[in-house]
Amino acid sequence: MGISPIQYRPWKGERSAQNLRVYVIFRSVINHGMKSPGVIILLVIGFFIVFAFPLISVVFAPHERLEASDMNSSLDSLILAIFALLLAAVVTSDLISEDLSSNSFVLYFSRALKSRDYIAGKTGGALLLMSLLCLIPPLLIAVTATLTQSGNDYWHSLTVIGRTIGAGALATVFYVPYGIMMSSFTRRKSYAAVGTFMSFFVLTIIAEVFAGFAQGWRIISPIDSLSYSFDWIFGEALPSFINKGALAALITLFIVLPSVVVYVKITRQAVGK
């Protein structure tokens, strides 16, 4: 009995688009996050503790227009900062560490998937989950306050809504790159989560120590620098010891530098280094 040789048969289907592959990663992060008890608990408790009372107040309390100071007080809260930090630690802890642990990079990059597409999918999913706490609730409060205002100065209220979107977007983006960077350093998501949470407080302690010599050092605390940024966005007066240029540079550095580190590590991992 003869042996039939295996012949190559060209596949006649259509290749999936590159952006569809990004969407698959993005959707996977969202599905995983929305099934995580930790994420759900932080979102629900965070909303009720931080935003429920302000939302009820704008519905029943009379007000002529939406004020920037009211929205600033909603976002510039230590409680919100702690919940956002906890949420970022939980959401980002396994984004890359899980793939490192299971060697999933072989599957990801066996197809024509670029490092930036992999990072975009992971980051996009994390940002959407973070926005459920840091952007959507304050925007809901701002829009509700505008719809229920008794005055006619809607233009002022719309400008405050724009400032709210800017501040909420900053709060959403601020924690994610750092958390993903910590996730890329370890195969254990618990280490990544603890490392993300604790390193913020280490920087805060360092800032407090140096602030004893000069108050301007407070901006090296991520939580304080984010708080000052909210004041700046909403037009509040900044303390005299805060240099706006230095504040903007530190905020940018805190977002960009971890992103660069993650890109380099993922690129090296993709080529097997």
Side-chain angles (χ1 to χ4, degrees):
M1 181 176 180
I3 299 177
S4 299
I6 299 176
Q7 298 180 355
Y8 171 74
R9 295 181 180 179
W11 182 59
K12 297 181 180 180
E14 295 183 1
R15 292 184 179 182
S16 59
Q18 196 75 20
N19 56 358
L20 180 60
R21 301 171 192 177
V22 176
Y23 171 72
V24 170
I25 300 174
F26 170 84
R27 186 181 60 185
S28 175
V29 173
I30 297 298
N31 291 339
H32 179 72
M34 296 310 297
K35 293 177 182 178
S36 169
V39 172
I40 300 300
I41 290 172
L42 287 171
L43 286 175
V44 172
I45 296 179
F47 176 83
F48 278 102
I49 292 180
V50 180
F51 298 111
F53 180 74
L55 181 59
I56 295 173
S57 297
V58 299
V59 174
F60 295 102
H63 56 281
E64 292 188 359
R65 63 182 189 179
L66 176 63
E67 298 293 346
S69 57
D70 294 333
M71 294 311 305
N72 188 27
S73 62
S74 296
L75 280 162
D76 189 6
S77 165
L78 179 60
I79 298 177
L80 175 59
I82 292 175
F83 270 99
L85 179 54
L86 286 171
L87 180 61
V90 173
V91 168
T92 63
S93 62
D94 61 350
L95 289 185
I96 298 180
S97 62
E98 192 76 17
D99 294 336
L100 289 172
S101 177
S102 61
N103 293 319
S104 298
F105 283 104
V106 177
L107 297 176
Y108 278 113
F109 294 104
S110 61
R111 303 191 67 181
L113 184 70
K114 298 180 180 180
S115 299
R116 67 170 182 262
D117 298 325
Y118 171 85
I119 296 172
K122 296 281 186 175
T123 303
L127 290 176
L128 181 58
L129 292 172
M130 289 295 298
S131 70
L132 298 178
L133 177 66
C134 299
L135 176 59
I136 303 303
L139 181 59
L140 177 62
I141 293 173
V143 172
T144 303
T146 301
L147 294 176
T148 56
Q149 70 181 37
S150 58
N152 296 321
D153 193 358
Y154 288 100
W155 176 249
H156 176 82
S157 298
L158 288 174
T159 59
V160 177
I161 290 178
R163 292 172 184 261
T164 302
I165 293 174
L170 176 59
T172 299
V173 174
F174 186 72
Y175 299 97
V176 171
Y178 190 86
I180 295 178
M181 182 183 70
M182 296 300 293
S183 180
S184 70
F185 286 152
T186 177
R187 295 174 180 267
R188 299 283 297 273
K189 66 177 184 179
S190 58
Y191 292 169
V194 173
T196 299
F197 187 79
M198 293 304 299
S199 56
F200 271 81
F201 283 96
V202 169
L203 289 172
T204 300
I205 293 172
I206 294 174
E208 288 292 333
V209 172
F210 280 95
F213 302 97
Q215 288 292 318
W217 284 103
R218 289 189 177 277
I219 62 173
I220 68 174
S221 165
I223 295 177
D224 286 343
S225 62
L226 188 59
S227 174
Y228 294 136
S229 298
F230 290 156
D231 293 338
W232 191 2
I233 291 172
F234 285 107
E236 301 285 340
L238 294 176
S240 58
F241 55 81
I242 296 298
N243 182 288
K244 292 183 179 180
L247 177 61
L250 280 173
I251 290 291
T252 302
L253 184 65
F254 199 83
I255 295 173
V256 172
L257 182 59
S259 301
V260 172
V261 172
V262 170
Y263 179 79
V264 172
K265 287 184 67 65
I266 296 303
T267 301
R268 290 174 62 88
Q269 188 71 34
V271 297
K273 294 184 177 180

